[in-house]
Amino acid sequence: MTVLPGAALPSGTPDPVTPRGLPHRGGDANPSVEALRARFGGAIGRHEVMWGETTVWVEPARIREIVLWLRDDPTQQYDYLVDVTAVEHRDAGRPLEMVWHVRSLPYRRFLRLKAALPDGADLEVPSIEPVYKSANWLEREVWDMFGIRFAGHSDLRRILLWESYAEGYPLRKDFPLRGRFSRSEQLSQALAANPEARYSMEELTVADAFHELPADMRARLLAEHDEVGA
Amino acid sequence: MGSERMLINIGPQHPATHGVLRLVLELDGETVIRCVPHIGYLHCGFEKIGEYRQYNQIIPWTDREDYLNSMGNNIAYALGAERLFGIEITPRCTVLRVIAMELSRIISHLVWLGTTAVDLGAFTPFLWTFQERETVYNLFESWVGARLTTSASRIGGMAADLPPGWVDGLKGFLRSLPKTLDETDRMLTRNGIWVGRTVGLGVMTAPEAINYGLSGPMLRASGVAYDVRKDFPYLDYDTYDWDIVVGSRGDVYDRYLVRLEEMRQSVRIIEQALERLPDGPLNIDDPRVILPAKSKATSEMESMIHHFKLVMEGPRPPVGECYVPTESPKGEKGYYLVSDGTSKPVRWRIRPPAFVNLSAISKMAEGHLLSDVIAINASIDIVMGEIDR
């Protein structure tokens, strides 16, 4: 089976060419924006076109149903999740932004969805892992680096850093470049750690170091154990 | 007889895990019941460091993500930054970048081919492919002065133009590479052991591959003809005559066939690039981003000021953001850059193809034998620098 990108375009559509002379702002918006407005109304905020790319602001709580519709509607077919990430601006007054890059292979379209997460509120958005499997690790990375929770994620735990990492979320702007702890503190923590305690939940049968795990992890494991036992 | 399940670790630092990957496998006999990959060991923090660096100072970090494709990363990042600045590069620079990116694809695939052959028990292709790779490294060294970490691109151009005789050296490589590929093809493609250890393993159907976000040869082996160079072209790829290579089964064997043929397609592209290589300036003439000539910087006040401001303060793009995807040897590699108008990015996000590809390993490995995990892991073509960051 061969799946051809651009297959949903009318026959005779010319092959794509390298974009040149893109304007900084303005230009034709992605037609999916109007379709989204017609379908989701108030959940869709403003949009802007910059360097030829369309960004549309959405209500964070409804992201899952929005991408599900974008993926499954025959006029959209955004079947490919490119990336999930977040942006924190240097201006402390600006909210944290969630960013989703989605692409329609059949229509050769690219769309950026953004949602503002106001400061002080719970940093949580619905996980889109049920829609795109590729969101699994990408959302875990955002959780690891920014501390944004993804409700409904099947396995939300740190991915690049270890489970008991206690310094916070490295890509947040209040996280210093060299980390929160001094080099000597990091070294003494590393030397004092039991290597077996670095095993994660999946491997506890071999790690046998339950009592040395952080309290929140122990609680989660116990809850999971009860669930399985029930 | 009742069996007891066993947990074993493969890696980190196991020769067959291609970096510091640790795979925790739960086995029933020799069958893999569960495969839990663990990444995170290097903690280089590229993206965090990017917030503290000027736009041109980020280029050396791009070398170190996927160090088998450093030239490709340099150029991909420069393309992103150039879009943020609203800059169009010169025709000569465009063609030279195409040559550099395709050479990077070839050497990355060569390393993949050689090391995967070693993983599956064949040593000779490793020697052949690394010999060819060495030729490209010699070419890189004579061009930009470095072999592995090239740091070759600049915003608006390249660090250096080609030295005399470089094109002849490249033509020699283009003559010898297809012979090596044919030789490897003869040795492996119909080899009973090779076929037995790769066919039907780690199968991803086309809809699965798309849903898991696979890209590059991993996606194309599943029969999806998606290639960033054709579908969202950059540089002047839309003007070259070449074919997208697709597989049909989506297994380890097809990934091998796709990468082997992609190297031949890269040779086609480079040959066309050499035919059209134009004369003219390499770098654009834009004092906002390009350093003035040394002679001018020491003799003209204006040029000296430009030189000083570019080095001390760095170029400043307008407020904005962009995502520029490129087709790296491992798949879609894109840089998402967010600028607040200062000389350092607010956010420099790497879209890592190997990271997303590796996330599908559990799906691919479960149900297969322990020894098959090695073949499946090898077929993903991972570089941990890009995955861990």
Side-chain angles (χ1 to χ4, degrees):
Chain A
M1 182 176 68
T2 302
V3 181
L4 291 173
L9 295 168
S11 63
T13 306
D15 288 336
V17 294
T18 308
R20 291 180 205 284
L22 291 168
H24 181 197
R25 286 175 197 276
D28 293 337
N30 186 324
S32 302
V33 178
E34 285 316 309
L36 276 169
R37 283 224 167 82
R39 176 72 179 75
F40 291 97
I44 307 298
R46 65 190 165 88
H47 76 274
E48 59 185 356
V49 183
M50 192 182 291
W51 302 122
E53 297 161 14
T54 304
T55 305
V56 55
W57 291 79
V58 301
E59 194 182 309
R62 298 187 67 185
I63 183 67
R64 189 184 299 167
E65 53 181 310
I66 288 171
V67 291
L68 185 66
W69 181 79
L70 280 174
R71 189 193 70 176
D72 291 343
D73 190 86
T75 63
Q76 306 302 321
Q77 300 189 46
Y78 284 85
D79 48 1
Y80 193 87
L81 175 72
V82 179
D83 204 3
V84 179
T85 186
V87 178
E88 186 176 14
H89 289 271
R90 294 198 179 98
D91 176 358
R94 289 183 68 173
L96 209 67
E97 294 170 0
M98 268 303 302
V99 182
W100 296 270
H101 288 160
V102 289
R103 169 168 296 145
S104 164
L105 297 182
Y107 284 100
R108 286 209 182 99
R109 286 180 194 155
F110 175 79
L111 187 64
R112 178 179 300 127
L113 300 165
K114 272 194 171 190
L117 305 178
D119 199 23
D122 273 353
L123 292 178
E124 182 170 287
V125 288
S127 168
I128 59 168
E129 192 203 352
V131 185
Y132 302 105
K133 290 270 199 263
S134 47
N136 186 335
W137 279 24
L138 293 169
E139 287 180 351
R140 280 177 65 187
E141 188 187 347
V142 175
W143 158 244
D144 196 356
M145 293 289 136
F146 286 91
I148 298 170
R149 296 192 64 85
F150 292 88
H153 191 286
S154 65
D155 182 24
L156 192 65
R157 55 194 168 91
R158 283 195 180 268
I159 185 165
L160 297 175
L161 298 163
W162 53 101
E163 279 267 350
S164 53
Y165 184 78
E167 292 187 53
Y169 302 104
L171 280 179
R172 297 294 298 271
K173 286 287 188 270
D174 60 359
F175 187 96
L177 182 62
R178 282 172 174 256
R180 270 186 223 288
F181 301 154
S182 67
R183 285 287 163 92
S184 61
E185 170 64 20
Q186 288 178 358
L187 182 67
S188 60
Q189 283 193 8
L191 290 174
N194 177 355
E196 291 291 300
R198 292 283 171 88
Y199 281 77
S200 70
M201 286 149 59
E202 282 72 25
E203 308 143 73
L204 279 175
T205 44
V206 289
D208 196 22
F210 180 81
H211 61 282
E212 289 185 42
L213 293 170
D216 62 328
M217 196 170 149
R218 279 202 304 268
R220 263 192 295 148
L221 281 167
L222 284 173
E224 194 181 57
H225 181 74
D226 289 345
E227 231 169 64
V228 173
Chain B
M1 199 172 82
S3 65
E4 195 175 312
R5 291 196 176 166
M6 184 169 71
L7 274 172
I8 70 159
N9 282 279
I10 302 184
Q13 290 137 339
H14 184 279
T17 53
H18 294 217
V20 293
L21 171 69
R22 182 162 69 101
L23 294 172
V24 182
L25 302 176
E26 187 176 342
L27 300 176
D28 183 0
E30 271 193 78
T31 308
V32 177
I33 304 295
R34 207 159 54 117
C35 168
V36 184
H38 285 260
I39 61 173
Y41 190 98
L42 304 169
H43 312 305
C44 296
F46 295 142
E47 292 179 12
K48 182 76 177 177
I49 290 167
E51 294 172 6
Y52 292 78
R53 295 285 181 278
Q54 295 167 9
Y55 283 89
N56 265 325
Q57 291 173 335
I58 288 175
I59 288 167
W61 297 98
T62 64
D63 290 331
R64 287 152 179 82
E65 292 156 25
D66 173 0
Y67 36 80
L68 301 182
N69 179 41
S70 52
M71 195 75 110
N73 294 340
N74 298 159
I75 295 168
Y77 169 76
L79 287 169
E82 281 153 10
R83 182 169 296 177
L84 204 56
F85 279 87
I87 288 171
E88 301 283 336
I89 55 171
T90 64
R92 182 174 175 80
C93 184
T94 306
V95 177
L96 283 185
R97 283 184 176 183
V98 168
I99 293 173
M101 289 189 104
E102 293 309 313
L103 283 175
S104 294
R105 184 180 325 282
I106 289 171
I107 56 176
S108 177
H109 282 356
L110 283 173
V111 171
W112 174 82
L113 183 56
T115 52
T116 301
V118 170
D119 282 351
L120 299 185
F123 188 67
T124 314
F126 176 83
L127 299 174
W128 292 342
T129 55
F130 271 62
Q131 200 168 19
E132 291 293 346
R133 174 201 193 217
E134 203 57 27
T135 313
V136 178
Y137 275 167
N138 288 338
L139 288 170
F140 281 175
E141 187 179 16
S142 65
W143 182 3
V144 296
R147 298 166 74 81
L148 188 74
T149 49
T150 48
S151 300
S153 68
R154 297 289 181 273
I155 299 170
M158 298 290 280
D161 208 334
L162 300 180
W166 195 88
V167 171
D168 295 330
L170 177 58
K171 284 179 179 166
F173 171 72
L174 294 180
R175 280 191 298 274
S176 80
L177 177 70
K179 290 179 198 160
T180 306
L181 295 180
D182 290 345
E183 193 89 1
T184 314
D185 193 2
R186 273 198 295 279
M187 178 174 249
L188 295 178
T189 307
R190 281 169 295 283
N191 180 309
I193 300 172
W194 185 260
V195 171
R197 290 206 61 186
T198 55
V199 172
L201 287 185
V203 175
M204 293 291 276
T205 63
E208 282 171 352
I210 292 173
N211 199 248
Y212 271 89
L214 303 188
S215 53
M218 291 284 291
L219 182 65
R220 290 191 284 275
S222 296
V224 183
Y226 172 66
D227 190 309
V228 183
R229 291 173 288 175
K230 288 270 193 202
D231 292 286
F232 295 88
Y234 51 96
L235 295 171
D236 57 353
Y237 274 110
D238 48 329
T239 60
Y240 290 83
D241 180 26
W242 57 283
D243 300 316
I244 299 181
V245 188
V246 288
S248 55
R249 288 171 294 243
D251 58 4
V252 176
Y253 186 65
D254 272 12
R255 289 170 205 147
Y256 153 74
L257 291 178
V258 165
R259 290 196 178 99
L260 196 65
E261 182 57 31
E262 269 189 13
M263 286 190 265
R264 297 194 175 108
Q265 296 297 328
S266 291
V267 169
R268 260 176 90 182
I269 294 173
I270 297 173
E271 281 170 347
Q272 292 169 51
L274 283 179
E275 275 173 26
R276 69 170 70 171
L277 182 62
D279 290 329
L282 177 68
N283 296 338
I284 58 164
D285 182 20
D286 187 340
R288 285 184 307 154
V289 291
I290 289 287
L291 287 173
K294 193 77 180 169
S295 57
K296 280 191 171 181
T298 53
S299 60
E300 293 176 9
M301 180 59 81
E302 279 293 311
S303 298
M304 194 187 78
I305 292 169
H306 283 146
H307 189 286
F308 179 82
K309 285 183 83 70
L310 269 179
V311 172
M312 300 308 289
E313 295 174 5
R316 289 164 186 262
V319 175
E321 60 189 330
C322 70
Y323 171 76
V324 180
T326 59
E327 185 69 32
S328 90
K330 288 159 189 70
E332 176 174 339
K333 168 153 240 170
Y335 290 104
Y336 173 52
L337 287 160
V338 183
S339 160
D340 61 354
T342 63
S343 59
K344 291 165 186 168
V346 171
R347 181 89 172 94
W348 165 46
R349 160 72 181 162
I350 306 158
R351 192 276 178 188
F355 179 85
V356 184
N357 289 348
L358 182 67
S359 70
I361 192 171
S362 306
K363 156 91 182 149
M364 288 189 277
E366 283 163 12
H368 288 296
L369 298 179
L370 174 60
S371 58
D372 296 336
V373 173
I374 304 301
I376 292 166
N377 180 51
S379 77
I380 301 174
D381 188 12
I382 55 171
V383 160
M384 289 308 287
E386 182 178 274
I387 292 170
D388 187 346
R389 300 197 295 294

